[in-house]
Amino acid sequence: MPTQTACRTDAPHDVYDSQCPCRGVLDLLADKWSALAIGALGDGPQRFGELKTRLQGISPKVLTATLRRLEARALLERTVYAEVPVRVEYALTDLGIDAEKPLRELRTWVEANIERFPPTD
């Protein structure tokens, strides 16, 4: 008799199940650059250059890849304005706004507790 996974559409999801689609979303949200980009966009729509400035240390290539992954998972939307020069803005969707709240709490907790962690080499 085959075992049933916890990730059938009619069953609760279980992120500990190796086949659960939750794992891909968790991987995306737990990524440092994704969490920081979502946090930055929590302040409102921003252009690529603004995000690059805010996310100190991110390369343009990594920022582009991060924004594309977030857009593909419907966490943000990319709006192109037909202007000269073309203007592109990124903004959180409703789903992105919902994700930003717990990520903000995690960032705040890390900032408040960083001194409790041993230094890294």
Side-chain angles (χ1 to χ4, degrees), residues 14 47 90 110 114:
D14 179 3
R47 297 175 71 175
Y90 299 89
V110 169
I114 190 64

Side-chain angles (χ1 to χ4, degrees), residues 29-41:
L29 294 175
D31 174 73
K32 166 182 67 177
W33 295 121
S34 293
L36 292 174
I38 290 169
L41 290 169

Side-chain angles (χ1 to χ4, degrees), residues 52-72:
K52 182 163 179 345
T53 300
R54 180 84 186 273
L55 278 59
Q56 297 177 18
I58 194 169
S59 70
K61 180 179 178 179
V62 171
L63 179 55
T64 297
T66 299
L67 294 172
R68 285 181 180 161
R69 285 193 333 268
L70 293 171
E71 183 180 18

Side-chain angles (χ1 to χ4, degrees), residues 63-84:
L63 179 55
T64 297
T66 299
L67 294 172
R68 285 181 180 161
R69 285 193 333 268
L70 293 171
E71 183 180 18
R73 296 306 299 228
L75 291 159
L76 67 80
E77 60 186 2
R78 179 179 182 266
T79 304
V80 180
Y81 295 92
E83 300 174 353
V84 178

Side-chain angles (χ1 to χ4, degrees), residues 4-27:
Q4 297 178 351
T5 67
C7 288
R8 296 184 337 250
T9 56
D10 61 338
H13 294 290
D14 179 3
V15 75
Y16 294 102
D17 181 335
S18 66
Q19 300 302 310
C20 186
C22 298
R23 284 201 175 182
V25 174
L26 181 62
D27 183 53

